[in-house]
Structure formats: structure tokens, C-alpha cells
Amino acid sequence: MSYSIYICGVGGQGIIKTSVIIGEAAMNQGLDVVMSEIHGMSQRGGSVSTELKIGDFNSSIIPDTTADMLLSFEPIETIRGLHKVNKDSMIVYNTHPIIPSSSNDPYPSVDSITSALKENFSNVLPIDATDLALDAGNILSLNMVLLGAVTADDKFPLSKESVIDAMKNNLHPKFHELNLKAIENGYTSIKG
């Protein structure tokens, strides 16, 4: 079994914590996992990415065009991560933009981003994870909404239950109920 996930977004969205939870869930299911992270400008809202491989791998780096999944927390970061995927990769991304305050450039239409992705890739799942996180009770549960959404993909190698167990092991108990709702919101947004 081998599965690789490229996770990207901007600082403060919980990308690294999401990767840790996925990694722990994989280990709890008896699977090997390796991970790397890049978070140079993360504290200033800059790009953050992690590369995670589940299975028998010697390196955590995902070669271009080989990721099984791109999990993106922001539309422009989705575009930045496309070098890691191929036409058959699963692309799950949050449709809510984070517009940099330091830029005067117009932000592209999210509808145009979605259309371009669907024209060029077979498995595109846009999700308004921001809205679903707010519905769960807090915008900070955005990462758990997206994590719930990926567990709904039949090809994703981890069960929703193992992801929930890893979440509970990595987050303070007072946040469990909120994050359980967020995971369920993400899951049902895909499964219906």
C-alpha cells in the first residue's frame, strides 16, 4: 500500500497539525508514514506545505506529478500545488480565499479556478470548508472540516474513526466536540 498527500495553505490554518493527525492515524492503523514540512513565512500568512507519504517509502519528498491527493486550504495555494499532482489525482480544496493585505493585484474568481481545475483534472472536490467550520462553531476547525472531507474519499487509506482517534490524541479535550462536528461536516459534505 502506498499513498502520498501534498497539503498546502497559508500560515495559521493548521496545515502542520493536520499532517500530524494524518500521520498518527496511519501509524495507529499499522502503516508506515514519513512527512516533511515547509513553513518559512507561516507566521505572516505565507505559504505552508507538508508532504506526507503512507506506506513503504524512503523519502518524504513527493516527486512532481505523483501525489495521490492535493489537500489545499486556500484556492491560490491549490494552484501553487498543482505541480505535485496529475490528471487522476484527487484534489480537495477550500473555496474560501484568503486575500493578502500586501497585494494590490486582483484575486482571481474562485469559480474560474474551479472551472479550470475541473477541465484539467478528473477528481476535483471544491468545498467551502470555511463556512462548514463556522457552522461547527469556530473558524479554527477549518482543518478538521477538510480532514473529514478527505476521509469520505473511498481511495483515502485511513478510516474516519482512526482520524478521529488521532485528533483526540493531539487536541485538548475541550476542543473535541467542536472538531468532531467539523469532521462530520466535512465528511457529509462529500458523502451526502
Side-chain angles (χ1 to χ4, degrees):
M1 199 291 297
S2 63
Y3 195 88
S4 58
I5 312 163
Y6 184 76
I7 304 172
C8 58
V10 298
Q13 290 187 300
I15 288 100
I16 294 171
K17 181 59 77 178
T18 302
S19 299
V20 168
I21 290 170
I22 291 171
E24 184 172 313
M27 289 187 293
N28 289 345
Q29 286 188 211
L31 303 169
D32 292 329
V33 62
V34 290
M35 181 180 100
S36 69
E37 59 188 61
I38 298 172
H39 53 92
M41 293 296 290
S42 63
Q43 295 199 5
R44 292 186 176 85
S47 295
V48 178
S49 64
T50 62
E51 300 185 28
L52 194 133
K53 292 179 174 178
I54 299 168
D56 188 23
F57 292 102
N58 293 323
S59 165
S60 60
I61 304 301
I62 300 171
D64 286 355
T65 72
T66 65
D68 295 295
M69 177 179 284
L70 168 62
L71 174 58
S72 177
F73 288 49
E74 202 279 336
I76 291 294
E77 295 302 321
T78 306
I79 294 169
R80 286 191 179 119
L82 290 177
H83 66 286
K84 290 294 184 178
V85 298
N86 59 64
K87 67 177 182 60
D88 297 320
S89 301
M90 176 60 71
I91 300 173
V92 179
Y93 69 100
N94 182 18
T95 59
H96 187 84
I98 296 178
I99 301 169
S101 59
S102 61
S103 175
N104 293 325
D105 295 333
Y107 195 97
S109 152
V110 175
D111 288 341
S112 66
I113 292 171
T114 300
S115 293
L117 289 171
K118 288 185 174 184
E119 286 173 19
N120 293 286
F121 298 92
S122 303
N123 304 299
V124 177
L125 289 176
I127 176 175
D128 189 344
T130 301
D131 189 49
L132 293 171
L134 290 170
D135 178 71
N138 193 313
I139 187 66
L140 297 178
S141 67
L142 165 79
N143 60 340
M144 294 300 110
V145 170
L146 289 167
L147 197 46
V150 300
T151 64
D153 176 24
D154 293 335
K155 293 181 182 175
F156 189 68
L158 307 177
S159 70
K160 182 171 73 166
E161 293 72 25
S162 68
V163 168
I164 288 170
D165 289 345
M167 176 276 290
K168 287 180 177 178
N169 195 43
N170 280 276
L171 300 176
H172 193 281
K174 72 178 180 179
F175 300 117
H176 289 179
E177 185 178 338
L178 164 72
N179 286 299
L180 283 169
K181 183 169 185 195
I183 289 170
E184 197 58 39
N185 279 357
Y187 184 85
T188 56
S189 75
I190 303 301
K191 282 292 191 190

